[in-house]
Amino acid sequence: MPLHLRKATLADEGAVSRICLLTGDAGKSAEHLFKKPEMPGLVYAVPYLHLDSAWRYVLVETDDAGVEKDVVGYVVGSSNCRAFEADAEKNWWPPLRPRYPKPEDADRDAYTGAELYYLDFIANPALTGQEVLDVYPAFLHINILPPHQGKGWGTKMIRQAALQVQADGEKGLWVGIDSRNDNGRQFYKAIGFEKMESKEGEYYGLDIKKFLDSGRGA
């Protein structure tokens, strides 16, 4: 079926959350890691549909008549990471904390490592290192369901993100990856992302002009 990109809306929340879960274990399904399957999306995908400091696009499958059938991917982010972090701290995390409380030390054995990571994050969201933001303040998250990977749509989605960030006045953007995600690393490097210096985590940056001038994803 044909695919196309469009701006995401709040009506896409369920699909975006599901895609985040199905790609949430270093690119593979994380369904087996969570009793509450919405948890990955609440951290890495759904906030971008709600917050004014973010932008958001979805990859949609349509039938031959152009009628939308399913959302099969998304690219979300912000052109100002610090503004997004502040927006989320004011408007996103506070309502979640009573619903997903950080467990007491004596109760932590009842949770998987993945669940503990997300509960800890909701309680105390990690801030991006300033050494990364000093290079590029803009960033993205991208995920596509496996049947639609390897067909050029990831590059097209990166191009849409690059155009958005360029329109917002920035010269580049970055992405953070799970160090176990070899396929993701290879993809980013192949389209022009370069390793960034970071005190924590693995980050890759993209020079927008160089990427757009290459014609990739056009």
Side-chain angles (χ1 to χ4, degrees):
M1 290 185 178
L3 301 177
H4 72 273
L5 274 169
R6 63 161 170 79
K7 287 188 176 182
T9 71
L10 291 178
D12 299 313
E13 181 172 323
V16 166
S17 179
R18 181 70 175 164
I19 293 166
C20 192
L21 177 70
L22 293 177
T23 55
D25 185 18
K28 300 177 182 178
S29 175
E31 291 174 285
H32 60 294
L33 299 176
F34 295 94
K35 301 182 189 75
K36 296 181 178 181
E38 73 277 11
M39 288 177 67
L42 289 174
V43 171
Y44 287 120
V46 176
Y48 299 87
L49 304 186
H50 289 260
L51 297 177
D52 291 339
S53 56
W55 44 259
R56 70 289 288 175
Y57 296 90
V58 286
L59 182 63
V60 183
E61 187 177 50
T62 66
D63 63 20
D64 292 336
V67 177
E68 292 191 359
K69 306 300 288 185
D70 297 298
V71 173
V72 299
Y74 64 83
V75 58
V76 297
S78 174
S79 297
N80 186 326
C81 182
R82 285 287 184 255
F84 174 81
E85 290 170 345
D87 192 4
E89 184 55 45
K90 180 180 179 181
N91 298 303
W92 185 252
W93 304 121
L96 290 185
R97 287 171 180 147
R99 293 166 50 198
Y100 302 91
K102 184 176 179 178
E104 300 293 334
D105 289 345
D107 299 326
R108 290 177 72 85
D109 288 345
Y111 298 87
T112 67
E115 290 170 331
L116 290 172
Y117 169 83
Y118 283 94
L119 292 171
D120 289 346
F121 194 101
I122 291 169
N124 187 27
L127 299 180
T128 305
Q130 190 59 45
E131 71 279 5
V132 174
L133 302 188
D134 284 343
V135 181
Y136 298 132
F139 70 99
L140 64 80
H141 295 290
I142 179 172
N143 279 305
I144 307 173
L145 292 177
H148 303 283
Q149 295 175 8
K151 300 177 181 179
W153 279 102
T155 309
K156 290 180 183 295
M157 293 164 74
I158 297 290
R159 186 177 186 86
Q160 181 63 63
L163 289 169
Q164 173 73 58
V165 170
Q166 184 183 63
D168 291 339
E170 297 299 335
K171 296 181 179 179
L173 55 82
W174 56 263
V175 64
I177 72 166
D178 187 317
S179 60
R180 301 170 298 154
N181 191 347
D182 292 332
N183 290 336
R185 183 184 298 107
Q186 292 171 15
F187 165 70
Y188 292 123
K189 292 174 70 173
I191 65 173
F193 281 80
E194 297 180 351
K195 185 77 176 289
M196 302 175 73
E197 293 296 325
S198 172
K199 296 175 183 177
E200 294 185 12
E202 188 172 350
Y203 295 85
Y204 291 84
L206 183 71
D207 181 304
I208 287 175
K209 185 177 186 304
K210 192 181 297 184
F211 173 72
L212 295 176
D213 287 350
S214 76
R216 292 186 176 98

